[in-house]
Amino acid sequence: MAITTRTTPSGAPPARLARGRATAAREADNRRLLRARDAIDRSFAEPLDVAALAAVAHVSPSHFIRAFKAAFGETPHRYLQRRRIERAMALLRDTATPVTEVSVAVGFQSLGTFSRTFHDIVGASPTTYRRTAAPLLAPGCFTRAWTRPAGAR
């Protein structure tokens, strides 16, 4: 007695074909999430909301938040905050721009919110960070990787 297996017209077993479709769907979701993350990176200093970012990813706002956190390990809001603080760290370290102007330049509307968020992520106030941080003499790509704020997770 011969054992036969069902195959699809392409010759692949149905289970393998289903896995292939699921993988393709996951990759498409990831590409859409990457487009949304790129939109955050491009316009981090502008007011952004979840609905606009979800529209970039072509998903609902609630699904966008869940999928973004699953893909990148943090919510879109926290990613945006971290990106803004990362840019603020560079401005504080490399320029003499006043802290108030730095907070506005990176997209915060309140100096208090900026200071609190900066302290939460970096572990020091913006003024203390400016006093203790020296300009880094390395290529920008290395500087960004070494100084990327980790924050308390």
Side-chain angles (χ1 to χ4, degrees), residues 133-148:
L136 299 173
L137 302 174
C141 57
F142 289 112
T143 302
R144 284 189 297 278
W146 291 333
T147 61
R148 182 158 178 87

Side-chain angles (χ1 to χ4, degrees), residues 23-94:
T23 301
R26 227 180 358 265
E27 288 174 1
D29 287 344
N30 288 342
R31 281 192 300 274
R32 288 193 297 262
L33 290 172
L34 284 171
R35 277 198 302 268
R37 189 183 71 177
D38 290 344
I40 293 172
D41 289 341
R42 267 192 315 276
S43 52
F44 65 90
E46 300 169 13
L48 294 172
D49 62 343
V50 172
L53 294 171
V56 170
H58 302 291
V59 294
S60 71
S62 57
H63 179 72
F64 174 70
I65 293 170
R66 285 190 308 271
F68 192 95
K69 185 168 183 174
F72 302 114
E74 57 191 354
T75 64
H77 178 69
R78 189 60 173 181
Y79 180 81
L80 174 62
Q81 284 183 325
R82 195 173 306 282
R83 184 70 180 98
R84 287 175 172 171
I85 295 301
E86 181 179 306
R87 180 65 182 137
M89 288 170 64
L91 289 172
L92 290 169
R93 186 179 54 246
D94 300 332

Side-chain angles (χ1 to χ4, degrees), residues 11-22:
R16 183 177 298 158
L17 191 59
R19 278 195 305 268
R21 281 190 208 120

